[in-house]
Amino acid sequence: MKKKLGPQQNEEYEATLKQVEEGLEKLNRSFANETPSLDWFREMVAMETVKNRRRWYKELGLFILMAITILTIVLYTLNELPVIFFLSQFVVTLFIFIYRHYKMQRR
Amino acid sequence: MDENELVKSAKRGDQLALAKLFQNNYTFLMKFLLKISMNKDLAEELTQETFTKSIEKLHLYNFQSKFSTWLISMATNLYIDNRRKKKRERNWKLEKEQDIRKLKWQIENQNEEWNDCLDILSTLKEEHRTAIILKHYYGYSYDEIGEMLHVSPGTIKSRIHHGILQIRKELDISEEKTRSSAK
Protein backbone atom coordinates (compact mmCIF):
# COMPACT_ATOMS: atom_id res chain seq x y z
CA MET A 1 0.00 0.00 0.00
CA LYS A 2 1.09 3.56 -0.72
CA LYS A 3 2.64 5.32 2.29
CA LYS A 4 1.28 8.76 3.14
CA LEU A 5 3.92 11.51 2.87
CA GLY A 6 4.66 14.02 5.62
CA PRO A 7 4.61 17.79 4.93
CA GLN A 8 8.37 17.95 4.24
CA GLN A 9 8.29 14.89 2.01
CA ASN A 10 5.30 16.34 0.24
CA GLU A 11 7.26 19.49 -0.48
CA GLU A 12 10.17 17.44 -1.78
CA TYR A 13 7.76 15.40 -3.92
CA GLU A 14 6.34 18.57 -5.47
CA ALA A 15 9.85 19.98 -6.03
CA THR A 16 10.86 16.77 -7.80
CA LEU A 17 7.80 16.97 -10.00
CA LYS A 18 8.72 20.53 -10.93
CA GLN A 19 12.25 19.47 -11.84
CA VAL A 20 10.90 16.63 -13.98
CA GLU A 21 8.58 19.03 -15.79
CA GLU A 22 11.41 21.49 -16.40
CA GLY A 23 13.64 18.74 -17.76
CA LEU A 24 10.92 17.54 -20.13
CA GLU A 25 10.25 21.09 -21.26
CA LYS A 26 13.94 21.49 -22.13
CA LEU A 27 13.78 18.27 -24.12
CA ASN A 28 10.69 19.57 -25.91
CA ARG A 29 12.37 22.88 -26.79
CA SER A 30 15.60 21.30 -27.98
CA PHE A 31 14.17 19.76 -31.10
CA ALA A 32 12.86 22.09 -33.73
CA ASN A 33 9.71 21.48 -35.66
CA GLU A 34 10.80 19.20 -38.51
CA THR A 35 7.41 18.23 -39.92
CA PRO A 36 7.71 16.83 -43.45
CA SER A 37 5.67 18.38 -46.29
CA LEU A 38 2.07 17.46 -47.04
CA ASP A 39 3.24 15.70 -50.22
CA TRP A 40 5.43 13.39 -48.15
CA PHE A 41 2.44 12.43 -46.00
CA ARG A 42 0.23 11.95 -49.09
CA GLU A 43 2.79 9.62 -50.58
CA MET A 44 3.11 7.69 -47.34
CA VAL A 45 -0.66 7.29 -46.97
CA ALA A 46 -1.02 6.17 -50.62
CA MET A 47 1.81 3.64 -50.24
CA GLU A 48 0.49 2.21 -46.98
CA THR A 49 -3.06 1.98 -48.34
CA VAL A 50 -1.80 -0.07 -51.30
CA LYS A 51 0.25 -2.29 -48.94
CA ASN A 52 -2.77 -2.83 -46.66
CA ARG A 53 -5.00 -3.72 -49.61
CA ARG A 54 -2.42 -6.20 -50.89
CA ARG A 55 -2.12 -7.76 -47.42
CA TRP A 56 -5.91 -8.01 -47.15
CA TYR A 57 -6.19 -9.82 -50.54
CA LYS A 58 -3.36 -12.14 -49.55
CA GLU A 59 -5.05 -13.04 -46.26
CA LEU A 60 -8.43 -13.51 -47.96
CA GLY A 61 -6.83 -15.76 -50.59
CA LEU A 62 -5.16 -17.82 -47.89
CA PHE A 63 -8.42 -18.13 -45.97
CA ILE A 64 -10.34 -19.29 -49.07
CA LEU A 65 -7.59 -21.78 -49.94
CA MET A 66 -7.65 -23.24 -46.42
CA ALA A 67 -11.45 -23.43 -46.40
CA ILE A 68 -11.50 -25.24 -49.77
CA THR A 69 -8.79 -27.68 -48.64
CA ILE A 70 -10.58 -28.55 -45.39
CA LEU A 71 -13.94 -28.89 -47.15
CA THR A 72 -12.40 -31.13 -49.85
CA ILE A 73 -10.83 -33.42 -47.23
CA VAL A 74 -14.09 -33.63 -45.26
CA LEU A 75 -16.24 -34.38 -48.32
CA TYR A 76 -13.73 -36.89 -49.67
CA THR A 77 -13.54 -38.88 -46.42
CA LEU A 78 -17.35 -38.73 -46.02
CA ASN A 79 -17.91 -40.23 -49.48
CA GLU A 80 -14.93 -42.53 -49.91
CA LEU A 81 -13.88 -43.42 -46.35
CA PRO A 82 -16.99 -43.02 -44.15
CA VAL A 83 -15.50 -45.15 -41.34
CA ILE A 84 -12.53 -42.82 -41.01
CA PHE A 85 -14.84 -39.79 -41.19
CA PHE A 86 -17.07 -40.96 -38.32
CA LEU A 87 -14.07 -42.11 -36.34
CA SER A 88 -12.44 -38.70 -36.67
CA GLN A 89 -15.71 -37.02 -35.62
CA PHE A 90 -15.81 -39.26 -32.54
CA VAL A 91 -12.16 -38.55 -31.67
CA VAL A 92 -12.62 -34.79 -32.00
CA THR A 93 -15.79 -34.80 -29.85
CA LEU A 94 -14.06 -36.92 -27.22
CA PHE A 95 -11.09 -34.60 -27.23
CA ILE A 96 -13.36 -31.56 -26.66
CA PHE A 97 -15.07 -33.26 -23.69
CA ILE A 98 -11.76 -34.31 -22.11
CA TYR A 99 -10.27 -30.87 -22.65
CA ARG A 100 -13.29 -29.12 -21.07
CA HIS A 101 -13.25 -31.50 -18.14
CA TYR A 102 -9.52 -30.88 -17.62
CA LYS A 103 -10.03 -27.08 -17.79
CA MET A 104 -12.95 -27.20 -15.29
CA GLN A 105 -10.88 -29.23 -12.86
CA ARG A 106 -7.98 -26.77 -13.06
CA ARG A 107 -10.36 -23.92 -12.15
CA MET B 1 -11.82 21.70 -41.78
CA ASP B 2 -11.59 20.76 -38.08
CA GLU B 3 -10.05 17.53 -36.78
CA ASN B 4 -13.30 15.55 -36.52
CA GLU B 5 -14.29 16.43 -40.08
CA LEU B 6 -10.85 15.40 -41.30
CA VAL B 7 -11.20 12.05 -39.51
CA LYS B 8 -14.68 11.52 -40.98
CA SER B 9 -13.34 12.24 -44.49
CA ALA B 10 -10.34 9.98 -43.89
CA LYS B 11 -12.65 7.18 -42.76
CA ARG B 12 -14.54 7.57 -46.05
CA GLY B 13 -11.25 6.99 -47.89
CA ASP B 14 -10.05 10.57 -48.43
CA GLN B 15 -6.26 10.18 -48.46
CA LEU B 16 -5.61 13.93 -48.49
CA ALA B 17 -7.59 14.34 -45.25
CA LEU B 18 -5.59 11.55 -43.64
CA ALA B 19 -2.33 13.11 -44.83
CA LYS B 20 -3.39 16.46 -43.31
CA LEU B 21 -4.29 14.75 -40.02
CA PHE B 22 -0.87 13.13 -39.87
CA GLN B 23 0.90 16.36 -40.74
CA ASN B 24 -1.01 18.23 -38.00
CA ASN B 25 -0.09 15.60 -35.40
CA TYR B 26 3.47 14.80 -36.50
CA THR B 27 5.41 17.14 -34.20
CA PHE B 28 3.21 16.43 -31.21
CA LEU B 29 3.58 12.68 -31.61
CA MET B 30 7.29 12.82 -32.41
CA LYS B 31 8.04 14.93 -29.34
CA PHE B 32 5.94 12.66 -27.15
CA LEU B 33 7.87 9.63 -28.37
CA LEU B 34 11.12 11.51 -27.91
CA LYS B 35 10.27 12.10 -24.25
CA ILE B 36 9.34 8.53 -23.49
CA SER B 37 12.08 6.87 -25.56
CA MET B 38 14.84 9.48 -25.06
CA ASN B 39 16.08 8.57 -28.52
CA LYS B 40 15.43 10.80 -31.53
CA ASP B 41 15.92 8.13 -34.20
CA LEU B 42 13.64 5.68 -32.41
CA ALA B 43 11.05 8.45 -31.90
CA GLU B 44 11.00 9.17 -35.65
CA GLU B 45 10.82 5.49 -36.51
CA LEU B 46 7.95 4.87 -34.08
CA THR B 47 6.08 7.97 -35.29
CA GLN B 48 5.99 6.49 -38.79
CA GLU B 49 5.06 3.09 -37.41
CA THR B 50 2.19 4.66 -35.45
CA PHE B 51 0.85 6.34 -38.58
CA THR B 52 1.09 3.07 -40.50
CA LYS B 53 -0.81 1.25 -37.78
CA SER B 54 -3.40 3.99 -37.52
CA ILE B 55 -4.22 3.65 -41.26
CA GLU B 56 -4.96 0.00 -40.58
CA LYS B 57 -7.04 0.70 -37.45
CA LEU B 58 -8.75 3.94 -38.48
CA HIS B 59 -12.13 2.22 -38.73
CA LEU B 60 -11.89 1.48 -34.98
CA TYR B 61 -11.51 5.15 -33.95
CA ASN B 62 -14.79 6.13 -32.29
CA PHE B 63 -14.39 9.89 -31.58
CA GLN B 64 -14.57 9.31 -27.81
CA SER B 65 -11.11 10.81 -27.31
CA LYS B 66 -9.12 13.33 -29.33
CA PHE B 67 -7.40 11.92 -32.40
CA SER B 68 -4.02 12.88 -30.90
CA THR B 69 -4.87 10.93 -27.72
CA TRP B 70 -5.74 7.91 -29.84
CA LEU B 71 -2.39 8.21 -31.62
CA ILE B 72 -0.52 8.61 -28.33
CA SER B 73 -2.16 5.49 -26.97
CA MET B 74 -1.10 3.48 -30.01
CA ALA B 75 2.41 4.98 -29.97
CA THR B 76 2.86 4.15 -26.28
CA ASN B 77 1.99 0.51 -26.83
CA LEU B 78 4.25 0.29 -29.89
CA TYR B 79 7.08 1.75 -27.80
CA ILE B 80 6.54 -0.74 -24.95
CA ASP B 81 6.48 -3.64 -27.45
CA ASN B 82 9.64 -2.31 -29.08
CA ARG B 83 11.44 -2.17 -25.70
CA ARG B 84 10.35 -5.71 -24.80
CA LYS B 85 11.82 -6.99 -28.05
CA LYS B 86 14.98 -4.91 -27.57
CA LYS B 87 15.54 -6.26 -24.04
CA ARG B 88 16.00 -9.72 -25.49
CA GLU B 89 19.10 -8.46 -27.31
CA ARG B 90 22.45 -8.82 -25.60
CA ASN B 91 23.77 -5.25 -25.71
CA TRP B 92 20.56 -3.36 -25.05
CA LYS B 93 21.83 -1.71 -21.82
CA LEU B 94 24.96 -0.45 -23.54
CA GLU B 95 22.90 0.81 -26.47
CA LYS B 96 20.55 2.60 -24.07
CA GLU B 97 23.47 4.38 -22.43
CA GLN B 98 24.77 5.39 -25.84
CA ASP B 99 21.33 6.74 -26.79
CA ILE B 100 21.23 8.91 -23.66
CA ARG B 101 24.74 10.24 -24.33
CA LYS B 102 23.72 11.07 -27.90
CA LEU B 103 20.58 12.86 -26.71
CA LYS B 104 22.59 14.79 -24.13
CA TRP B 105 24.99 15.88 -26.85
CA GLN B 106 22.12 16.91 -29.14
CA ILE B 107 20.51 18.99 -26.39
CA GLU B 108 23.74 20.68 -25.40
CA ASN B 109 24.35 21.46 -29.08
CA GLN B 110 21.11 23.45 -29.01
CA ASN B 111 22.55 25.54 -26.14
CA GLU B 112 20.20 23.95 -23.64
CA GLU B 113 21.49 22.65 -20.33
CA TRP B 114 21.09 18.93 -19.61
CA ASN B 115 18.98 18.35 -16.56
CA ASP B 116 19.96 15.68 -13.96
CA CYS B 117 16.32 14.72 -13.76
CA LEU B 118 16.38 13.60 -17.40
CA ASP B 119 19.29 11.33 -16.63
CA ILE B 120 17.39 9.69 -13.78
CA LEU B 121 14.13 9.63 -15.73
CA SER B 122 15.90 7.66 -18.44
CA THR B 123 16.89 4.96 -15.94
CA LEU B 124 13.33 4.39 -14.70
CA LYS B 125 11.29 1.46 -15.97
CA GLU B 126 9.46 2.30 -19.22
CA GLU B 127 6.07 1.85 -17.58
CA HIS B 128 6.95 4.30 -14.79
CA ARG B 129 8.50 6.90 -17.07
CA THR B 130 5.60 6.77 -19.52
CA ALA B 131 3.01 7.17 -16.76
CA ILE B 132 4.88 10.15 -15.24
CA ILE B 133 5.17 11.88 -18.62
CA LEU B 134 1.54 11.28 -19.55
CA LYS B 135 0.30 12.55 -16.21
CA HIS B 136 2.64 15.42 -15.38
CA TYR B 137 3.61 16.72 -18.79
CA TYR B 138 0.52 16.00 -20.89
CA GLY B 139 -2.02 16.24 -18.07
CA TYR B 140 -3.96 13.04 -18.77
CA SER B 141 -6.05 11.64 -15.94
CA TYR B 142 -5.24 8.35 -14.18
CA ASP B 143 -8.28 6.78 -15.87
CA GLU B 144 -7.17 7.89 -19.34
CA ILE B 145 -3.61 6.64 -18.80
CA GLY B 146 -4.93 3.36 -17.41
CA GLU B 147 -7.03 2.91 -20.54
CA MET B 148 -4.06 3.71 -22.78
CA LEU B 149 -1.74 1.25 -21.04
CA HIS B 150 -4.42 -1.38 -20.34
CA VAL B 151 -3.93 -1.33 -16.55
CA SER B 152 -6.05 -0.03 -13.68
CA PRO B 153 -5.92 3.65 -12.62
CA GLY B 154 -4.64 2.48 -9.21
CA THR B 155 -1.63 0.84 -10.85
CA ILE B 156 -0.88 4.06 -12.73
CA LYS B 157 -1.10 6.08 -9.50
CA SER B 158 1.31 3.70 -7.81
CA ARG B 159 3.75 3.70 -10.77
CA ILE B 160 3.85 7.52 -10.77
CA HIS B 161 4.27 7.72 -7.00
CA HIS B 162 7.10 5.20 -6.92
CA GLY B 163 8.74 6.71 -9.99
CA ILE B 164 8.81 10.20 -8.47
CA LEU B 165 10.12 8.88 -5.14
CA GLN B 166 12.89 7.04 -6.98
CA ILE B 167 13.86 10.22 -8.84
CA ARG B 168 13.93 12.13 -5.53
CA LYS B 169 16.16 9.48 -3.98
CA GLU B 170 18.59 9.51 -6.90
CA LEU B 171 18.65 13.31 -6.93
CA ASP B 172 19.51 13.34 -3.21
CA ILE B 173 22.34 10.88 -3.82
CA SER B 174 23.76 12.92 -6.70
CA GLU B 175 23.47 16.16 -4.65
CA GLU B 176 25.29 14.50 -1.76
CA LYS B 177 28.05 13.32 -4.12
CA THR B 178 28.43 16.85 -5.52
CA ARG B 179 28.62 18.30 -2.00
CA SER B 180 31.21 15.80 -0.80
CA SER B 181 33.37 16.29 -3.89
CA ALA B 182 33.19 20.09 -3.37
CA LYS B 183 34.58 19.66 0.15
Side-chain angles (χ1 to χ4, degrees), chain A residues 2 13 16-17 19 21 23 25-31 33-36 38 41 46 48 55, chain B residues 15 22-23 27 31 34-35 40 52 55-56 107 110 112-113 115 117-118 136-137 161 164 168 171:
Chain A
K2 205 168 88 180
Y13 189 90
T16 313
L17 267 183
Q19 272 177 286
E21 283 164 18
E25 190 49 49
K26 270 184 192 171
L27 195 58
N28 203 55
R29 272 200 309 264
S30 305
F31 292 92
N33 193 343
E34 294 164 5
T35 310
L38 187 61
F41 283 103
E48 287 305 324
R55 198 181 311 132
Chain B
Q15 293 190 356
F22 288 164
Q23 194 187 31
T27 308
K31 287 193 170 181
L34 177 71
K35 286 184 206 91
K40 195 183 175 219
T52 306
I55 296 174
E56 225 182 291
I107 286 188
Q110 300 289 322
E112 283 281 359
E113 210 180 306
N115 179 317
C117 248
L118 290 176
H136 292 291
Y137 192 84
H161 183 78
I164 297 292
R168 180 75 257 159
L171 277 175

Side-chain angles (χ1 to χ4, degrees), chain B residues 131-148:
Chain B
I132 290 173
I133 292 170
L134 284 169
K135 174 73 188 159
H136 292 291
Y137 192 84
Y138 289 95
Y140 287 108
S141 68
Y142 293 120
D143 289 343
E144 284 171 318
I145 304 170
E147 223 170 274
M148 282 180 196

Side-chain angles (χ1 to χ4, degrees), chain A residues 17-79:
Chain A
L17 267 183
K18 207 168 168 232
Q19 272 177 286
V20 170
E21 283 164 18
E22 276 169 12
L24 291 171
E25 190 49 49
K26 270 184 192 171
L27 195 58
N28 203 55
R29 272 200 309 264
S30 305
F31 292 92
N33 193 343
E34 294 164 5
T35 310
S37 67
L38 187 61
D39 283 339
W40 185 87
F41 283 103
R42 282 178 81 166
E43 224 170 273
M44 191 221 8
V45 169
M47 241 166 61
E48 287 305 324
T49 311
V50 170
K51 258 195 224 167
N52 281 348
R53 203 170 298 149
R54 264 192 215 143
R55 198 181 311 132
W56 188 79
Y57 281 128
K58 203 175 153 189
E59 279 168 15
L60 184 72
L62 210 66
F63 172 77
I64 291 172
L65 198 74
M66 290 286 284
I68 290 173
T69 311
I70 292 169
L71 210 63
T72 311
I73 293 171
V74 168
L75 288 177
Y76 177 78
T77 47
L78 184 64
N79 283 322

